[in-house]
Amino acid sequence: MRERVLVTGAAGFVGRHAVKALRARGFAVHGVGRAASAEAGWHAADLLVPEERRALLVQIRPSHLLHLAWDAEPGRYWTSARNLDWAAATLDLAQAFAASGGRRFVGVGTCAEYAWGAARLDEATTPCRPATLYGAAKDGTRRILEAFAGQTAMRFAWGRLFYLYGPGERRGRLVPDALQALTAGTAFPTSLGLQRRDFLHVADAAAALAALVAGDVTGPVNIGSGTAIPVRTLLEGLAARIGGAEHLDFGARPLSPTEPPVIEAGTRILTETVGFRPRFDLARGLDDTVAWWRAQGQPPA
């Protein structure tokens, strides 16, 4: 019998790609979301309701769990009090998962857990001092789960996502908003774009998480490309494919003084221990993103 993995947030930006990546690795995948779906292996449940998340685990009895669900509403999630709700729900989910015989729990964190300022963010050497409620909620959840896993038979890993882009990304985020403006021929006011960020295609991030689920590495693992580029380079790459470069209004918005000049993932654990390397470089990733966006026939919702 194939091992069963439960994917929370399976209908989300990363979740849809993670489901495919896990199926490719031979898992029997069960996805959960708030809305019903005719897709095989799909379950409708509100994970913020204790009875629903516990009933789900009793029904499925997964051996593995990839927990992606969290509040990620663009423009609000950094400061939303719902971070506290999701932290509490995640801890209870892990406890119920372990009690049901679950063997491997992979949670999903963020580069915002780190103390920003280092030239390269490393799991072993860069301290975690989050500057936002979102980062603090993720970091606190990870610390508690590591301690809990140390007292149980459950194996625990934590994938820290950096900056993602690609097919399925919704409006309110950098890439889809820039694509919309470039196509519509409207101004896209932005910073000078000199800050460097570690961008990774969402399919690569999902494949890295699937490798983490299938493996036995424990603790935090950065999920990034390992190379930060200027935000300006990303935007100019989109304009080179869409047209409308004159609508990129660099410098129209000031960069917040709290924004670090560089956020780059150290990827030694991901590449050497997990054994994963990205499939998309920036050029291929932008080609794929633009092709998907054009195939929709309308701007991303």
Side-chain angles (χ1 to χ4, degrees):
M1 182 179 293
R2 291 188 297 165
E3 292 181 312
R4 293 187 297 276
V5 57
L6 174 62
V7 180
T8 71
F13 177 42
V14 181
R16 283 172 284 180
H17 295 273
V19 166
K20 294 178 184 177
L22 287 162
R23 283 178 176 155
R25 285 183 171 268
F27 282 97
V29 180
H30 294 260
V32 58
R34 283 197 176 97
S37 171
E39 184 177 350
W42 185 264
H43 307 265
D46 185 345
L47 294 179
L48 293 179
V49 177
E51 294 77 14
E52 292 193 30
R53 61 178 176 257
R54 293 169 191 165
L56 187 69
L57 290 171
V58 170
Q59 177 187 356
I60 299 171
R61 295 282 177 180
S63 55
H64 296 62
L65 199 158
L66 174 60
H67 181 46
L68 284 155
W70 201 279
D71 183 10
E73 185 68 29
R76 58 165 274 180
Y77 70 94
W78 292 106
T79 59
S80 173
R82 286 172 66 83
N83 284 298
L84 280 68
D85 298 331
W86 277 108
T90 299
L91 297 177
D92 182 71
L93 180 70
Q95 186 175 16
F97 173 69
S100 70
R103 301 197 310 272
R104 183 158 178 82
F105 185 105
V106 175
V108 178
T110 167
C111 60
E113 296 170 53
Y114 286 115
W116 287 340
R120 196 166 172 84
L121 304 177
D122 179 83
E123 301 95 330
T125 61
T126 307
C128 286
R129 286 198 296 271
T132 64
L133 177 58
Y134 172 69
K138 289 283 192 175
D139 180 48
T141 300
R142 188 266 309 168
R143 291 174 187 267
I144 295 170
L145 288 178
E146 278 191 327
F148 173 67
Q151 300 179 172
T152 70
M154 184 184 80
R155 303 278 286 175
F156 170 72
W158 186 256
R160 285 196 181 118
L161 297 179
F162 279 65
Y163 287 75
L164 306 185
Y165 70 95
E169 190 173 13
R170 59 180 167 171
R171 291 291 305 279
R173 292 166 59 93
L174 177 67
V175 169
D177 283 1
L179 285 170
Q180 164 65 15
L182 290 168
T183 302
T186 57
F188 185 72
T190 185
S191 70
L192 289 173
L194 303 180
Q195 70 276 25
R196 294 191 297 121
R197 299 292 181 261
D198 191 319
F199 290 101
L200 184 68
H201 190 284
V202 64
D204 277 332
L209 289 169
L212 200 54
V213 170
D216 57 7
V217 175
T218 59
V221 178
N222 287 341
I223 308 293
S225 71
T227 302
I229 62 166
V231 170
R232 189 182 190 107
T233 299
L234 179 82
L235 293 173
E236 289 175 338
L238 292 173
R241 290 160 173 80
I242 291 287
E246 67 276 11
H247 299 297
L248 296 174
D249 193 359
F250 291 112
R253 288 182 176 175
L255 189 65
S256 168
T258 62
E259 285 277 350
V262 58
I263 298 177
E264 182 175 272
T267 56
R268 182 186 57 81
I269 295 177
L270 180 64
T271 58
E272 296 180 11
T273 309
V274 178
F276 177 84
R277 293 184 183 276
R279 187 165 58 94
F280 290 91
D281 59 15
L282 182 65
R284 286 189 61 208
L286 293 181
D287 286 344
D288 182 69
T289 301
V290 169
W292 176 87
W293 187 83
R294 281 176 166 154
Q296 305 314 298
Q298 58 184 5

